[in-house]
Amino acid sequence: MTAATATTDLGEAYSGYLDHLADADEYAATDLAIGLLDAGVPAERVLLDLVAPAQAEVGERWARNEWSVAQEHAATHISEQVVGAVSAHVKPRPTGGRIVVACMDGEWHALPPRLVAEVLRLRGWQVTFLGASVPAAHLVSYLHRYDAHAVALACALPMRLPYAHRMIEACRRSDVPVVVGGRGFGTDGRWARRLGVAWAPDAPSAAELIADERALRGVPPARLAHLADDEYASLVRRRGELIDSALAELRERVPAAREYSAAQLDATVSDLGHIVDFLAAAVYVDDPSLFTEFVQWLSGILRSRGVPAGAVVLPLEHYAAALRDFPRAARALALGCAALPGEAR
């Protein structure tokens, strides 16, 4: 489909757009999006009803092991180019104050916040998009230099919540209100509420919230008194030790693990580290559901790649034994094991 044959039916356009992503055809994808604009479809709908759901499907195809990491990256790059082309085609002019949009430090999923940035731009805000993985100190330095009406921060992975909280507090010390979004705060924003920060489920909601400064600032304080018991800090200090001992036990109990290639070993160490990081985040917000949801997701990812679901149980049991004196972590690990499919246990 090109501009000459454009349709205003976003359902039809969506199917074609996914085909272009699958073919890694940047030019056809861009032509399709611009054709929709020329046919009278509002730019915000093109971004939110075409590009956004297509990117979600790209992630699902990777999760189901239908697409490789390379295919997922190529598709993401194309959609980033399409977003830029849509913005350049519309050329909105700012009438409001400056909004700074950024990803949390260590957060590399930049397309969703880029979509938020462009929706805010379309609604008249002067937007500065700082991109992926912005260190807190650099963000604060930027805020000191420029007078921002608000900061919008994105987090896709709940394991980043402790870093997100520090970043949120750094922005507040600069007296700049913050709104957050992304799956990292929970699909219902429950972990944003635990951190005491305004949360928006989508770009239009973020735009409405930013326009209401009283609502943006009038958020109940964080509920993190439990951090005084030092369990989170102690768990983080033991991260390296936990990963090393879990890997050693895996090699002892699963002979095939001794023959892993370098790539398999790296992936295993990464998974073991992610388990600890998600566990620590669950302890930080005092919500074991954060960990159980991750365990279920990880089990599904591994099954789609031919790894038995039971492979998740061994490190959970190892960490449970090592952390038996950590009550919040122990509870989350027990619930994580119970949340696995029956055959895994």
Side-chain angles (χ1 to χ4, degrees), residues 149-150 177-178 198 208-220:
H149 174 83
V178 182
E208 292 169 8
L209 190 55
I210 286 170
D212 185 351
E213 187 171 355
R214 183 176 179 180
L216 197 57
R217 292 184 181 272
V219 181

CSV table of all heavy atoms in Angstrom, one decimal, residues 149-150 177-178 198 208-220:
chain,number,residue,atom,x,y,z
A,149,HIS,N,7.7,22.5,32.6
A,149,HIS,CA,6.4,22.4,33.3
A,149,HIS,C,6.2,21.1,34.0
A,149,HIS,O,5.6,21.0,35.1
A,149,HIS,CB,5.3,22.6,32.2
A,149,HIS,CG,3.9,22.4,32.7
A,149,HIS,ND1,3.2,23.4,33.4
A,149,HIS,CD2,3.1,21.3,32.7
A,149,HIS,CE1,2.0,23.0,33.8
A,149,HIS,NE2,1.9,21.7,33.4
A,150,ALA,N,6.7,20.0,33.4
A,150,ALA,CA,6.6,18.7,34.0
A,150,ALA,C,7.6,17.7,33.3
A,150,ALA,O,8.1,18.0,32.2
A,150,ALA,CB,5.2,18.1,33.8
A,177,PRO,N,7.1,18.7,38.7
A,177,PRO,CA,6.1,17.6,38.9
A,177,PRO,C,6.4,16.5,37.9
A,177,PRO,O,6.9,16.7,36.8
A,177,PRO,CB,4.8,18.2,38.7
A,177,PRO,CG,5.0,19.4,37.9
A,177,PRO,CD,6.4,19.9,38.3
A,178,VAL,N,6.1,15.2,38.3
A,178,VAL,CA,6.4,14.0,37.5
A,178,VAL,C,5.1,13.2,37.2
A,178,VAL,O,4.3,13.1,38.1
A,178,VAL,CB,7.4,13.2,38.3
A,178,VAL,CG1,7.8,11.9,37.4
A,178,VAL,CG2,8.6,14.0,38.7
A,198,ALA,N,2.2,10.4,40.2
A,198,ALA,CA,1.1,10.4,39.3
A,198,ALA,C,1.4,9.4,38.2
A,198,ALA,O,2.5,9.4,37.6
A,198,ALA,CB,0.9,11.8,38.7
A,208,GLU,N,-3.7,14.7,29.5
A,208,GLU,CA,-4.8,15.3,30.3
A,208,GLU,C,-4.2,15.6,31.7
A,208,GLU,O,-4.5,16.6,32.3
A,208,GLU,CB,-6.0,14.4,30.4
A,208,GLU,CG,-6.7,14.3,29.1
A,208,GLU,CD,-7.8,13.2,29.1
A,208,GLU,OE1,-8.0,12.6,30.2
A,208,GLU,OE2,-8.3,12.9,28.0
A,209,LEU,N,-3.4,14.7,32.3
A,209,LEU,CA,-2.9,14.9,33.6
A,209,LEU,C,-1.9,16.0,33.6
A,209,LEU,O,-1.9,16.8,34.6
A,209,LEU,CB,-2.2,13.6,34.0
A,209,LEU,CG,-1.7,13.4,35.5
A,209,LEU,CD1,-2.9,13.7,36.4
A,209,LEU,CD2,-1.2,12.1,35.7
A,210,ILE,N,-1.0,16.1,32.6
A,210,ILE,CA,0.0,17.2,32.6
A,210,ILE,C,-0.7,18.6,32.5
A,210,ILE,O,-0.2,19.6,33.0
A,210,ILE,CB,0.9,17.0,31.4
A,210,ILE,CG1,1.9,15.8,31.7
A,210,ILE,CG2,1.7,18.2,31.0
A,210,ILE,CD1,2.7,15.3,30.6
A,211,ALA,N,-1.9,18.6,31.8
A,211,ALA,CA,-2.6,19.9,31.7
A,211,ALA,C,-3.2,20.3,33.0
A,211,ALA,O,-3.7,21.4,33.2
A,211,ALA,CB,-3.7,19.7,30.6
A,212,ASP,N,-3.3,19.4,34.0
A,212,ASP,CA,-3.9,19.7,35.3
A,212,ASP,C,-2.8,19.6,36.4
A,212,ASP,O,-2.6,18.6,37.0
A,212,ASP,CB,-5.0,18.6,35.6
A,212,ASP,CG,-5.8,18.9,36.8
A,212,ASP,OD1,-5.4,19.8,37.6
A,212,ASP,OD2,-6.8,18.3,37.1
A,213,GLU,N,-2.1,20.7,36.6
A,213,GLU,CA,-1.0,20.7,37.5
A,213,GLU,C,-1.4,20.4,38.9
A,213,GLU,O,-0.6,19.7,39.6
A,213,GLU,CB,-0.3,22.1,37.4
A,213,GLU,CG,1.0,22.1,38.2
A,213,GLU,CD,1.8,23.3,38.0
A,213,GLU,OE1,1.4,24.2,37.2
A,213,GLU,OE2,2.9,23.5,38.7
A,214,ARG,N,-2.6,20.8,39.3
A,214,ARG,CA,-3.0,20.5,40.7
A,214,ARG,C,-3.1,19.0,40.9
A,214,ARG,O,-2.7,18.4,41.9
A,214,ARG,CB,-4.4,21.1,40.9
A,214,ARG,CG,-4.9,20.9,42.3
A,214,ARG,CD,-6.2,21.7,42.5
A,214,ARG,NE,-6.7,21.5,43.9
A,214,ARG,CZ,-7.8,22.0,44.3
A,214,ARG,NH1,-8.6,22.8,43.5
A,214,ARG,NH2,-8.2,21.8,45.6
A,215,ALA,N,-3.7,18.2,39.9
A,215,ALA,CA,-3.8,16.8,40.0
A,215,ALA,C,-2.4,16.2,39.9
A,215,ALA,O,-2.1,15.2,40.6
A,215,ALA,CB,-4.7,16.2,38.9
A,216,LEU,N,-1.5,16.8,39.1
A,216,LEU,CA,-0.2,16.2,38.9
A,216,LEU,C,0.6,16.3,40.2
A,216,LEU,O,1.4,15.4,40.6
A,216,LEU,CB,0.5,17.0,37.8
A,216,LEU,CG,1.8,16.4,37.2
A,216,LEU,CD1,1.5,15.1,36.6
A,216,LEU,CD2,2.3,17.4,36.1
A,217,ARG,N,0.4,17.3,41.0
A,217,ARG,CA,1.1,17.5,42.3
A,217,ARG,C,0.4,16.9,43.5
A,217,ARG,O,1.0,16.6,44.5
A,217,ARG,CB,1.4,19.0,42.5
A,217,ARG,CG,2.4,19.6,41.5
A,217,ARG,CD,2.7,21.1,41.9
A,217,ARG,NE,3.6,21.7,41.0
A,217,ARG,CZ,4.9,21.7,41.1
A,217,ARG,NH1,5.5,21.1,42.1
A,217,ARG,NH2,5.7,22.3,40.2
A,218,GLY,N,-0.9,16.7,43.3
A,218,GLY,CA,-1.7,16.3,44.5
A,218,GLY,C,-1.8,14.8,44.6
A,218,GLY,O,-2.9,14.2,44.7
A,219,VAL,N,-0.6,14.1,44.7
A,219,VAL,CA,-0.6,12.7,44.8
A,219,VAL,C,-0.3,12.3,46.2
A,219,VAL,O,0.6,12.9,46.8
A,219,VAL,CB,0.4,12.1,43.8
A,219,VAL,CG1,0.5,10.6,43.8
A,219,VAL,CG2,0.1,12.6,42.3
A,220,PRO,N,-0.9,11.3,46.7
A,220,PRO,CA,-0.6,10.8,48.1
A,220,PRO,C,0.9,10.4,48.2
A,220,PRO,O,1.5,9.9,47.2
A,220,PRO,CB,-1.5,9.6,48.3
A,220,PRO,CG,-2.6,9.9,47.4
A,220,PRO,CD,-2.1,10.6,46.2
